[in-house]
Amino acid sequence: MVNGTDWRLQTQGSLSEDWKSPWTGDTHLKGSKITVISIIELTKKKHLTLPIPNATASCLNISKKTWLEARELRKASGLDKSIKNQVSFRCDSDAIDYLELIMQSIVFAFTALEAFVNEIIPSDFRYEKKSKKATEIYTKEEIERWVSIDEKLDKIIPTILKVGTPKGRDRSWQGFKDLKNIRDRLIHMKSDDRKSSGPEAKTIWTELMKTEPPYILAFTIVKYFIGDQGSTPSWFQHGSTHLKK
């Protein structure tokens, strides 16, 4: 248990009565927030009490920070304000740093979505997947490992939360597909992306220079599912403020 107000904490509730920690000896008063923690042995005589972040919130935050760092590099190079037909970053290191930051922003935004869908699935949930030959029943662990994120967002999460699928109905689905496409292109980068190319080529580098803020794309579909729920995670209640552009 840790007293704190950081929006990324995996907070679960509050104490109904005073409680004394057997690890630290500290007394926490009634009403104090209950937070998931990990006690880590730094040395034989020293233990660290570490608050555990919500994976979705933390990954979204990383995605935003790296996106903003990249935007500062782009702004400093004047790419978007220049009236020249040919522009470039101030130096090669700025260009590579920019690309690396955008890559990080994309990967962590997508990781945030993966963490979100897996956290929503109850431990006792079972998913029936029918085919022409048989019906397979997946446990939570099997869903996490073997079912695609597309299917989770289209079928499983809507079933659990009793909402309609966003697929073909909400703009958040297209944002998710755009994010997934560019993330997949990064993870499975093709040899053509490592060759010199002209402006007519649609390389991964073109995608990186033109992508929308990844953390916004990810948060938008999260918001679709839990924005109108009666009870929302603690991190989400404050996430909209922290994740503004």
Side-chain angles (χ1 to χ4, degrees):
M1 245 176 287
V2 175
N3 288 322
T5 56
D6 192 289
W7 69 281
R8 294 163 295 180
L9 287 174
Q10 182 78 347
T11 302
Q12 294 184 322
S14 58
L15 289 175
S16 59
E17 58 184 30
D18 292 354
W19 177 80
K20 185 175 181 179
S21 170
W23 300 290
T24 66
D26 295 335
T27 297
H28 300 268
L29 301 178
K30 178 181 178 180
S32 297
K33 290 183 178 180
I34 300 173
T35 302
V36 179
I37 63 169
S38 179
I39 306 296
I40 298 171
E41 185 183 88
L42 295 180
T43 68
K44 289 184 177 180
K45 295 184 178 181
K46 184 183 296 183
H47 288 175
L48 168 67
T49 300
L50 189 69
I52 302 302
N54 175 274
T56 304
S58 192
C59 287
L60 285 173
N61 193 54
I62 294 170
S63 178
K64 179 179 179 179
K65 287 195 295 186
T66 50
W67 172 265
L68 293 180
E69 287 180 46
R71 294 299 299 180
E72 285 302 310
L73 282 175
R74 183 166 177 155
K75 182 179 179 181
S77 290
L79 304 182
D80 301 302
K81 289 188 176 182
S82 176
I83 61 174
K84 296 179 180 179
N85 292 329
Q86 297 290 331
V87 295
S88 61
F89 282 90
R90 295 175 300 180
C91 58
D92 289 347
S93 61
D94 274 6
I96 301 303
D97 285 345
Y98 177 86
L99 293 172
E100 288 180 351
L101 288 165
I102 295 296
M103 290 180 196
Q104 291 176 65
S105 184
I106 291 166
V107 171
F108 273 99
F110 194 79
T111 302
L113 275 184
E114 293 184 310
F116 167 73
V117 296
N118 288 337
E119 185 175 35
I120 289 293
I121 301 170
S123 58
D124 60 349
F125 182 78
R126 297 294 181 269
Y127 175 52
E128 292 188 8
K129 190 172 182 178
K130 297 181 179 180
S131 65
K132 292 181 179 180
K133 295 183 178 181
T135 297
E136 296 179 288
I137 300 177
Y138 290 78
T139 64
K140 174 182 172 69
E141 292 73 20
E142 290 169 334
I143 294 169
E144 291 178 343
R145 176 170 294 191
W146 302 116
V147 179
S148 71
I149 189 170
D150 300 62
E151 191 168 351
K152 291 174 185 175
L153 290 171
D154 176 29
K155 300 182 182 300
I156 295 176
I157 304 305
T159 297
I160 293 169
L161 297 180
K162 295 180 173 55
V163 298
T165 175
K167 184 177 181 179
R169 299 177 53 188
D170 191 82
R171 64 183 179 86
S172 63
W173 184 260
Q174 186 57 53
F176 156 68
K177 295 298 290 184
D178 290 343
L179 178 61
K180 183 176 185 296
N181 178 64
I182 193 170
R183 178 266 187 187
D184 288 350
R185 289 193 65 183
L186 279 176
I187 300 301
H188 308 289
M189 197 179 295
K190 302 298 187 291
S191 57
D192 284 347
D193 289 319
R194 301 183 182 92
K195 300 176 181 177
S196 292
S197 60
E200 72 285 349
K202 303 303 180 184
T203 65
I204 184 63
W205 316 116
T206 300
E207 296 295 322
L208 292 178
M209 293 303 299
K210 294 185 175 182
T211 186
E212 294 294 314
Y215 66 95
I216 295 294
L217 298 177
F219 188 70
T220 298
I221 197 161
V222 169
K223 190 174 181 179
Y224 169 84
F225 282 111
I226 61 177
D228 294 328
Q229 296 289 316
S231 177
T232 57
S234 177
W235 72 264
F236 179 82
Q237 296 172 19
H238 305 286
S240 296
T241 299
H242 290 276
L243 295 171
K244 286 182 179 179
K245 292 185 180 180

